[in-house]
Amino acid sequence: MFYVGLFTIVLIPALMLLFGWLLAAPGNTVGKPNHLFGYRTKASMRSQQTWEFANRYCGRLWMKWSIPILAVSLAVFFLLDASETAITVIPLGQLIPMFITIWLTEQAIKQEFDQNGSRRS
């Protein structure tokens, strides 16, 4: 049970780091707006510019936040003696920063682009 719990705690931050790198790393292309891969919201899919901006912005946030989320999660996991409660509550808590990154990315899109997906002057 300990290793299953540990895997569960590490999974979300590890995926954030991986997908953050895939979205934001220099040289990686996010392609054209699509419904399969990437940061997919109405605002991000308005234009190629909004798509690239949103994916890179969110990817950077995920890479930046994944390690602190992992550190806090592991500390709580061990403080709660790897209990079933910890295995359930920690992943739910890890979703909060993920939703915050969505909100921050949407705010950045609104600040950087108009309603048509063109960069503001």
Side-chain angles (χ1 to χ4, degrees):
M1 182 62 139
F2 174 81
Y3 292 109
V4 171
L6 192 58
F7 174 78
T8 304
I9 301 310
V10 171
L11 183 62
I12 291 175
L15 289 174
M16 285 177 72
L17 185 62
L18 173 65
F19 285 108
W21 177 80
L22 288 172
L23 294 175
N28 284 351
T29 178
V30 291
K32 295 181 180 180
N34 66 79
H35 294 285
L36 296 176
F37 180 77
Y39 181 84
R40 302 173 309 268
T41 65
K42 186 177 180 181
S44 71
M45 296 177 78
R46 283 191 186 121
S47 69
Q48 184 67 33
Q49 285 183 320
T50 57
W51 176 254
E52 290 174 5
F53 175 85
N55 278 278
R56 291 211 182 355
Y57 190 91
C58 186
R60 287 183 190 122
L61 285 177
W62 280 7
M63 286 191 305
K64 187 178 186 180
W65 289 23
S66 62
I67 302 304
I69 291 169
L70 178 61
V72 170
S73 298
L74 288 173
V76 172
F77 179 71
F78 288 113
L79 284 172
L80 295 177
D81 293 325
S83 68
E84 288 183 26
T85 303
I87 295 168
T88 304
V89 172
I90 293 171
L92 293 174
Q94 291 172 338
L95 294 177
I96 294 168
M98 288 188 71
F99 287 119
I100 292 171
T101 62
I102 293 168
W103 182 80
L104 289 172
T105 303
E106 291 300 303
Q107 294 305 308
I109 293 169
K110 285 179 188 175
Q111 207 171 39
E112 191 76 21
F113 297 91
D114 64 19
Q115 291 295 325
N116 298 320
S118 299
R119 281 201 188 268
R120 295 186 190 274
S121 300

